[in-house]
Amino acid sequence: MIKAGKSLKLLYPKMLHVTCLAHAMHRVAEELRKKSFSVNSVISSVKIIFIKAPSRICAFKMMHPELLLPPEPILIRWGTWILAVLYYAENHRAIEEVVCTFDEADSKYIAEAKAAFKMKGLMPSLTFLKAYMSIIPESILKLESRGMELVEVVATIRGVIQEADLWPGETGKTVKQNLEFMLPRNPGWSAALDFEKMLRGESAPSEDFPNYSAQEAASFKYLPLMSVDVERSFSSLKLLLTDLRKSFKTENIENILVVQTSADLLH
């Protein structure tokens, strides 16, 4: 996509190509998962234990009716792994208590989960992630919001960068370096920062900034720095054709698209 953007710039010199910032935050979460083997072992093994297991789910609810079931993070869903980490940081003792009542002969994953709960690195990793990394899913949630102004998006990213300066330890340093590596590689990030400065009326753009008029620069107020709306369109459009509905008249397609695209206005 970066190569394609460079090629299109030859035809549209004022085009600004940016890669998704929400996905960049998700890449930070992926780096955390790689660095937190013990936590990931607990999350993945417990997730499998409760999938399609009504008796184990019932046992969990009997022992801890006040708790929600352990989350089932999806690795390609932005930030869901860290949300699972925050759940385990608060409830890992209760979950371990339930898992210890299960018979290891029923599933190899029960034995793996019990062993994972005994890992020495589990408590330090959970403590670190709970204390410092809750800002990652919070920032992703903000970036997923509709209609964010460029000034708000940049403020959100700057907030994460400021927090990153306070991340201690080797893991914090590695994740911060990962964040600092990704942002400069975003081809339109520096130009987006120039637009953000102009929108706040604080300073002139850099020397390599394209020659935009004030009207053109103002139109970047809602510059989309995330691909969230594109992802949402995939989810909406895949409902047009299903196994139970393989044909559509043109007028019916128009009607259903109007309903889908106008749904937010009806709330």
Side-chain angles (χ1 to χ4, degrees), residues 5 9 16 36 44 53 78 88 127 138 142 159 188 225-226 236:
K9 287 280 285 185
L16 186 61
S36 309
S44 59
W78 298 333
Y88 278 87
T127 302
E138 290 173 1
K142 288 181 181 178
L225 293 177
M226 289 75 63
S236 298

Side-chain angles (χ1 to χ4, degrees), residues 39-56:
V39 176
N40 191 53
S41 298
V42 168
I43 293 175
S44 59
S45 56
V46 171
K47 173 183 175 180
I48 296 174
I49 286 174
F50 287 102
I51 289 179
K52 296 181 181 179
S55 60
R56 295 175 196 152

Side-chain angles (χ1 to χ4, degrees), residues 146 232-242 245 248 252-267:
R146 294 180 186 270
R232 288 191 179 112
S233 70
F234 294 159
S235 300
S236 298
L237 295 177
K238 73 179 181 182
L239 300 176
L240 286 177
L241 297 179
T242 69
R245 184 177 60 228
F248 246 139
N252 289 336
I253 292 180
E254 293 176 353
N255 291 334
I256 196 168
L257 287 175
V258 168
V259 171
Q260 290 180 355
T261 55
S262 304
D264 291 341
L265 300 177
L266 301 176
H267 292 178

Side-chain angles (χ1 to χ4, degrees), residues 36-264:
S36 309
F37 175 77
S38 57
V39 176
N40 191 53
S41 298
V42 168
I43 293 175
S44 59
S45 56
V46 171
K47 173 183 175 180
I48 296 174
I49 286 174
F50 287 102
I51 289 179
K52 296 181 181 179
S55 60
R56 295 175 196 152
I57 293 175
C58 183
F60 182 92
K61 292 182 177 179
M62 288 288 291
M63 294 182 67
H64 297 283
E66 75 285 358
L67 292 182
L68 296 174
L69 284 170
E72 300 178 3
I74 302 172
L75 297 184
I76 60 173
R77 290 281 301 275
W78 298 333
T80 56
W81 187 82
I82 294 198
L83 290 175
V85 170
L86 300 180
Y87 171 92
Y88 278 87
E90 297 177 7
N91 305 302
H92 68 98
R93 295 297 187 195
I95 301 169
E96 182 180 8
E97 179 185 359
V98 175
V99 171
C100 286
T101 64
F102 297 154
D103 187 355
E104 295 183 14
D106 293 341
S107 171
K108 68 175 184 178
Y109 297 105
I110 294 176
E112 290 181 7
K114 290 181 180 180
F117 276 114
K118 301 300 181 183
M119 289 183 179
K120 292 183 179 180
L122 178 62
M123 281 295 293
S125 294
L126 282 176
T127 302
F128 170 79
L129 293 169
K130 174 66 176 177
Y132 293 101
M133 295 301 155
S134 60
I135 191 172
I136 300 299
E138 290 173 1
S139 64
I140 292 176
L141 185 63
K142 288 181 181 178
L143 294 173
E144 288 178 337
S145 302
R146 294 180 186 270
M148 283 192 73
E149 295 185 13
L150 176 59
V151 174
E152 298 176 275
V153 174
V154 172
T156 300
I157 299 300
R158 282 178 175 156
V160 176
I161 295 173
Q162 290 174 359
E163 286 288 327
D165 291 333
L166 304 176
W167 292 345
E170 190 63 31
T171 301
K173 180 181 178 181
T174 302
V175 176
K176 178 187 174 183
Q177 290 174 346
N178 183 267
L179 179 63
E180 292 175 341
F181 173 75
M182 284 187 297
L183 287 177
R185 294 189 67 194
N186 191 326
W189 176 242
S190 60
L193 292 178
D194 285 333
F195 277 119
E196 187 263 349
K197 292 175 183 177
M198 293 179 69
L199 288 168
R200 288 191 285 112
E202 292 189 359
S203 62
S206 57
E207 294 181 359
D208 59 347
F209 191 74
N211 185 24
Y212 290 91
S213 67
Q215 180 178 353
E216 290 172 332
S219 67
F220 282 82
K221 177 180 179 180
Y222 293 99
L223 174 65
L225 293 177
M226 289 75 63
S227 63
V228 179
D229 286 333
V230 178
E231 303 283 347
R232 288 191 179 112
S233 70
F234 294 159
S235 300
S236 298
L237 295 177
K238 73 179 181 182
L239 300 176
L240 286 177
L241 297 179
T242 69
D243 292 338
L244 301 178
R245 184 177 60 228
K246 297 185 178 180
S247 63
F248 246 139
K249 293 182 179 179
T250 303
E251 57 268 24
N252 289 336
I253 292 180
E254 293 176 353
N255 291 334
I256 196 168
L257 287 175
V258 168
V259 171
Q260 290 180 355
T261 55
S262 304
D264 291 341

